[in-house]
Amino acid sequence: MAGSRGATAGESVTARALALLGAFDDRHRRLTLTEMAHRAGLPVPTAHRLVAELVQWGALDRLPDSARYVVGRRVWDLGLLAPVQTGLRQVASPFLHDIYAATLATVHLAVRDGIEVLYVDRLAGHQSVPVVSEVGSRLPLHSTGVGKALLAHAPPPVRRGALERLTRITPYTITQPGRLTAQLERVRREGYAQTVEEMSLGGCSVAVPVRGARDEVVAALGIVVPSLKRDRPRLVAALRVAAEGISRSLR
């Protein structure tokens, strides 16, 4: 977790600069110099010198008329070169647009990163549904549709780790290990996952796994809507067609 590390004697300049970048996360997108130094475990004078260099290179930007900094565009540009972006995202993009055109709902493409779900791509829907995800953000596996689709097919150690950290996000978040385990078994059996207001009130999701060249689950494709009572079969069918198209393109 960002901010939990401490400075180490003899730590390299590179490690300290990376610690400053690592101070940013989903809940800390804008930080002052002092906040960055504290979360990176660095003295403020050291952070001041390194931040100036990071700003000059483009890794950080200082907000106009503000003492706060944000992650710079150059880091984003580098992130787009990562295989998870250049391969999967490019292959999946036309299929995401097809789903969006058919449903006008928020569409997600996500991968698993440890015991979190990492959102690789997102198309915002027209419906007034609370959606907390953004491209590049991470959320718990157990409380999201794409997360459950990924968790159901994750290695046993990952599932055990996730079951030990079932934090309650809304009153409807499943935090009982036995109940979630049974739900994950159903996901594997039925081929899709769903949530009902588990990540945000007023938002439901349904998701399916995306398989790679060796039939392993490499990603999940999901939709966020106000309700699943009436349209779930249609949404699942659309997601399955798109997921199979992505899988064929990856092979």
Side-chain angles (χ1 to χ4, degrees):
M1 178 183 294
S4 62
R5 63 178 300 284
T8 302
E11 195 173 40
S12 70
V13 173
T14 302
R16 295 181 181 189
L18 291 174
L20 288 169
L21 292 175
F24 294 87
D25 59 26
D26 292 342
R27 293 178 296 277
H28 301 86
R29 295 176 178 269
R30 302 181 178 192
L31 296 172
T32 65
L33 176 65
T34 301
E35 290 168 341
M36 267 191 287
H38 174 73
R39 289 176 58 76
L42 296 174
V44 172
T46 300
H48 182 272
R49 175 174 55 82
L50 291 173
V51 165
E53 295 180 7
L54 290 170
V55 169
Q56 184 177 13
W57 188 78
L60 291 175
D61 287 330
R62 182 166 179 170
L63 296 174
D65 303 320
S66 172
R68 295 186 179 275
Y69 295 83
V70 295
V71 174
R73 174 61 187 267
R74 196 161 183 184
V75 173
W76 171 255
D77 291 340
L78 287 174
L80 293 176
L81 300 177
V84 69
Q85 296 278 18
T86 57
L88 176 62
R89 192 167 184 257
Q90 289 181 7
V91 166
S93 181
F95 298 98
L96 265 68
H97 281 84
D98 286 346
I99 295 175
Y100 174 78
T103 65
L104 297 181
T106 296
V107 185
H108 287 140
L109 177 69
V111 298
R112 183 176 61 82
D113 185 11
I115 59 170
E116 294 180 310
V117 55
L118 169 63
Y119 289 85
V120 176
D121 206 351
R122 171 182 180 266
L123 297 178
H126 287 190
Q127 302 180 62
S128 180
V129 181
V131 179
V132 298
S133 63
E134 295 183 11
V135 175
S137 66
R138 290 171 171 81
L139 292 174
L141 288 167
H142 71 281
S143 57
T144 60
V146 286
K148 288 184 181 182
L150 292 166
L151 184 58
H153 297 279
V158 174
R159 293 202 298 272
R160 288 195 295 269
L163 289 170
E164 292 172 356
R165 297 171 177 83
L166 299 182
T167 55
R168 185 176 301 279
I169 300 169
T170 78
Y172 304 101
T173 307
I174 295 176
T175 58
Q176 302 87 357
R179 185 180 172 192
L180 182 59
T181 297
Q183 191 174 76
L184 295 178
E185 291 174 355
R186 188 165 63 250
V187 171
R188 289 190 292 273
R189 183 173 64 251
E190 298 180 349
Y192 71 91
Q194 69 176 33
T195 65
V196 178
E197 298 187 295
E198 294 181 46
M199 190 68 233
S200 58
L201 297 177
C204 303
S205 65
V206 61
V208 301
V210 176
R211 297 184 179 273
R214 295 182 296 275
D215 202 41
E216 77 282 19
V217 172
V218 296
L221 191 60
I223 296 177
V224 180
V225 292
S227 173
L228 293 172
K229 292 181 179 179
R230 184 175 55 186
D231 293 333
R232 182 176 57 190
R234 179 178 66 88
L235 297 176
V236 170
L239 288 170
R240 282 175 171 163
V241 170
E244 179 58 31
I246 297 171
S247 296
R248 285 197 304 268
S249 301
L250 292 173
R251 291 168 186 158

